[in-house]
Amino acid sequence: MRTLEDEIEDAVAVDLTVLPPHQRRAYAGLDQYRRPVEVRGVQELAKGIAESFGAFAIFDVETVLRSPAITPFVTQTLYSIPLELRRAACDRDRLKAESARKEMARIISAALMARYHFEPLKHVSTSCHPNWEMAFEQQFGAGRGHPNLEAQTSRHSSEGRGGDPDE
């Protein structure tokens, strides 16, 4: 049976695998001829990885986060991966590159699991993000989480705009 850790690691591994070659080389600090250059595109990669967790409620202690909120932590984690491992992920030897990508996915997912608690939302798939708030409330209740979640959901409704709070 697949564990949550396996799902998180697989989501990161897929993101690293489907990354276009030019982005993979930029993250590894290589140009098109595989010469060392300045590392680029880390924030874009971090954003893509974070977006993979759109179907999860992510808890940082008792604060609930949506997937974009973990982007800064993913960025830090990506910078912490050794440059040699990033460059190995760009190797022409497919087995070596695949092995390096799997190791990178393991490092990233271990860091995410150590920092955050992930709960898959039952009624949300990665393709239907608009249902996130509703699925979260059904599964965890409206009272749990941080006050910004309630502020975000009330912003989208027509209730509570102006006027007396007792109305």
Side-chain angles (χ1 to χ4, degrees):
M1 185 166 162
R2 293 177 48 85
T3 64
L4 183 62
E5 290 82 8
D6 292 338
E7 285 187 42
I8 302 295
E9 187 171 331
D10 288 349
V12 174
V14 166
D15 287 334
L16 294 173
T17 301
V18 300
L19 195 63
H22 70 278
Q23 283 184 301
R24 191 178 302 136
R25 286 191 304 266
Y27 170 61
L30 297 171
D31 68 5
Q32 64 185 8
Y33 303 109
R34 299 192 188 316
R35 294 180 298 211
V37 295
E38 182 182 350
V39 173
R40 300 177 319 277
V42 178
Q43 289 83 6
E44 293 166 355
L45 177 57
K47 183 181 175 191
I49 290 173
E51 287 173 353
S52 298
F53 301 110
F56 289 88
I58 305 165
F59 293 95
D60 187 8
V61 187
E62 281 296 312
T63 304
V64 66
L65 305 171
R66 302 249 344 229
S67 58
I70 67 171
T71 302
F73 180 75
V74 175
T75 302
Q76 288 177 336
T77 305
L78 288 172
Y79 276 119
S80 72
I81 293 176
L83 197 56
E84 300 80 30
L85 186 59
R86 296 187 227 170
R87 289 182 176 167
C90 298
D91 202 280
R92 287 191 174 121
D93 178 356
R94 288 184 183 208
L95 290 175
K96 183 177 179 182
E98 181 183 353
S99 173
R101 283 193 303 271
K102 283 182 180 179
E103 180 64 17
M104 287 169 47
R106 190 194 60 72
I107 291 168
I108 295 165
S109 65
L112 286 169
M113 296 299 290
R115 170 81 185 262
Y116 301 109
H117 174 70
F118 291 81
E119 285 287 335
L121 293 176
K122 295 174 185 170
H123 304 292
V124 177
S125 70
T126 54
S127 63
C128 53
H129 297 300
N131 296 334
W132 195 94
E133 284 90 1
M134 182 180 67
F136 180 83
E137 285 183 21
Q138 286 177 354
Q139 190 167 339
F140 298 107
R144 186 166 178 189
H146 68 59
N148 289 343
L149 181 65
E150 286 81 28
Q152 289 171 358
T153 53
S154 68
R155 237 189 333 191
H156 298 296
S157 69
S158 60
E159 300 170 10
R161 292 191 184 167
D164 189 14
D166 294 329
E167 289 183 274

